[in-house]
Amino acid sequence: MATAAVQIPFPAGPPGQPDIEYAPNYEKYQERIKRRKETETLEKSLPPGFPQKLNSALVWEGKDLGNSYDWSYELTPADINEIEEGLRHFQSLNQPLGFITQETFPLPNLHHTLRAISREIHTGHGFKVVRGLPVDTHTRAENIAIYAGVAAHVAPVRGRQDRHVAAGEDVVLTHIRDLTAKVDAAAIGAPAYTADKQVFHTDSGDVIALFALGAAAEGGESFLSSSWRVYNELAETRPDLVRTLAEPWAADLFGKQGKKYVAKPLLHHQPATDTTPERLIIQYARRSFTGYWGLPRSADIPAITEAQAEALDALHYTAEKYAVALDFKKGDVQFVNNLSIFHARGDFRDSPEEQRHLIRLWLRDPEYAWETPEALRERWDQVYKDVTPESSVFPLEPTIRSASSGHVQHLVIVIRVKVRLTP
């Protein structure tokens, strides 16, 4: 299959940075395992208090998941009619899209199904696909309104994915699309804007929602993997890597957010309480430690260690081993628990007639939300704190998020969707 545009060369990063890139290399991974086992004394115990094994519906393997779990919900004609009525009701209010809520986009019958999906996301298997939204019969703005309306019944809080401080605007929707034919490779710092393979990773926030406006001509499979299953394997076979993941890492901020890097663990353990079960949260993006295209790893921050390099590959290859591949089609909405599931994407090829185009929301459901680990609270506040209906912006066309731009002062033209949908 054809892959993305030719990658631009970039420097190796800070002094002492291991030989590791965004694209995992299995031979280098195996060589690193062998070298470390021969030259280092590896810890044989887990960090204090960490579980030997997690037991939950959130622990699953892709090869047999389909035998025990139906991860899709096909919208019925009655559901579609109710969604159309919800759209017409919201249009009648003459309000900007930021004002879409369960009340302004009512779904009196489908609401109960969508609330059950939220329970499944937070306490069951961690993901669900809602299928059959009528993309082709609506305008782009109407599709975004329908998406936001349905998602509001699953998780009503929308998080910011970018911020335009001078204008007081919070961008709450992002387009995931190959922009390499339109944008200089030096401006692209994340694979979301290419046709390249995306390795297993997490986003920010509690729940990731992805709505497929279009599918690729070839490839672009969506892969999910239980991070709890990955943890169980590492806890059993490589407790030293669990210790490595639970220690602070220097995550590159690439000159964004007013600082060079942030130090925090990738792995967070939450013991059981009287009201909540034991939980294990892994949050990471590989490019924060390896760089990607227009955002090479910064030369003036701490290098990652050989142990951390091995841990990154261990996360990816173990997740790949237990992953499930989803047939992600136009009109599908994928809801994923970002705290318990890794996601990835196969490379793809677009054609003039068929182009992969997803739109993404970062959501939170106060009723079922997990407690945010202390080390993640600053980032979660950046996503969820003080986002208002008035400040919310829903771009109609793809742009590169400032956090993923290879230019620190990247100029982005945004179509500010504060239009009022009229019936």
Side-chain angles (χ1 to χ4, degrees), residues 56-249:
S56 167
L58 290 168
V59 178
W60 47 260
E61 298 182 13
K63 63 179 177 60
D64 54 23
L65 184 61
N67 297 326
S68 59
Y69 177 52
D70 183 0
W71 59 70
S72 65
Y73 174 77
E74 191 79 33
L75 292 166
T76 67
D79 293 333
I80 298 296
N81 288 336
E82 192 167 274
I83 290 169
E84 298 286 1
E85 291 174 5
L87 174 64
R88 287 192 290 271
H89 176 78
F90 180 73
Q91 289 173 325
S92 73
L93 301 178
N94 195 31
Q95 292 281 352
L97 297 182
F99 287 84
I100 289 178
T101 65
Q102 294 179 13
E103 291 70 35
T104 63
F105 202 107
L107 300 171
N109 297 308
L110 184 57
H111 170 82
H112 303 288
T113 298
L114 297 176
R115 295 308 299 146
I117 287 174
S118 185
R119 287 194 299 275
E120 179 66 40
I121 292 167
H122 289 86
T123 64
H125 293 81
F127 73 99
K128 197 80 171 182
V129 179
V130 175
R131 319 202 96 147
L133 284 178
V135 174
D136 292 335
T137 57
H138 291 284
T139 66
R140 176 67 56 78
E142 288 171 345
N143 273 316
I144 290 174
I146 288 171
Y147 174 40
V150 170
H153 290 264
V154 176
V157 178
R158 290 183 289 268
R160 71 168 60 83
Q161 300 182 52
D162 208 349
R163 172 180 278 178
H164 302 145
V165 177
E169 295 175 338
D170 295 312
V171 180
V172 299
L173 180 138
T174 295
H175 295 254
I176 309 298
R177 192 168 186 175
D178 179 16
L179 299 180
T180 54
K182 301 177 180 179
V183 178
D184 180 4
I188 297 176
Y193 308 107
T194 76
D196 203 1
K197 171 182 177 178
Q198 277 188 295
V199 303
F200 283 98
H201 66 286
T202 63
D203 285 4
S204 295
D206 290 5
V207 176
I208 306 166
L210 290 169
F211 178 25
L213 296 177
E218 184 181 359
E221 299 89 350
S222 176
F223 299 100
L224 302 179
S225 189
S226 164
S227 62
W228 286 30
R229 181 63 186 90
V230 171
Y231 171 83
N232 279 353
E233 174 145 323
L234 294 181
E236 179 181 2
T237 63
R238 292 297 303 275
D240 61 296
L241 293 183
V242 173
R243 284 180 171 269
T244 296
L245 292 167
E247 296 169 351
W249 292 48

Side-chain angles (χ1 to χ4, degrees), residues 14-27:
Q17 179 79 359
D19 180 15
I20 187 170
E21 298 179 355
Y22 176 80
N25 183 303
Y26 190 74
E27 290 184 2

